[in-house]
Amino acid sequence: MQNNNIILHSITPHELEELLRTMIREEFEEMNKEIQRVIGEDDLVSTGTACRLLGVCSKVMRHFVSEGHFTVFHHMKERRYIRAELLDFRNRRKINRSK
């Protein structure tokens, strides 16, 4: 049987702090994604809001729609998009920035 215990005596305070920061950051990001998904499941947003969420212009948004990335609803001559789909798409394509 392999012993998977971490011995804190061999870790410096700086290493422990960095380990805890990394664990907390990963958990926070996962919780944040889940909360955004749950909040946005039933929410329909306009084209302008969709563009802001994705950080793209309306021309790029039309290109994404023509490729079939999003479900489009028409309401009073306006296109509406499901917020949860937009957030999932954004999170899949997101590039993690280094600090």
Side-chain angles (χ1 to χ4, degrees):
M1 187 178 263
Q2 185 180 9
N3 189 356
N4 290 330
N5 294 333
I6 296 175
I7 300 175
L8 293 178
H9 296 294
S10 63
I11 275 184
T12 66
H14 180 69
E15 290 171 333
L16 178 62
E17 180 180 343
E18 188 60 35
L19 178 69
L20 290 173
R21 281 182 193 267
T22 304
M23 289 172 46
I24 291 170
R25 184 179 301 121
E26 289 171 357
E27 187 62 30
F28 176 77
E29 288 174 0
E30 190 62 34
M31 287 173 46
N32 191 24
K33 286 179 189 177
E34 185 67 21
I35 289 171
Q36 286 180 5
R37 187 188 63 74
V38 169
I39 288 173
E41 279 181 346
D42 296 330
D43 196 13
L44 295 178
V45 297
S46 66
T47 303
T49 303
C51 291
R52 282 192 295 278
L53 283 172
L54 297 176
V56 298
C57 66
S58 59
K59 184 177 179 179
V60 174
M61 186 67 187
R62 280 194 304 270
H63 180 70
F64 285 155
V65 170
S66 68
E67 289 181 344
H69 291 291
F70 307 111
T71 306
V72 181
F73 298 92
H74 297 280
H75 176 69
M76 296 178 61
K77 298 183 181 181
E78 267 191 51
R79 291 175 174 218
R80 300 288 179 172
Y81 306 92
I82 301 172
R83 182 185 299 268
E85 280 185 355
L86 297 167
L87 294 173
D88 286 340
F89 181 81
R90 181 186 71 183
N91 291 337
R92 278 186 310 211
R93 301 231 188 285
K94 184 178 171 183
I95 298 172
N96 291 329
R97 290 179 262 157
S98 59
K99 288 191 173 193

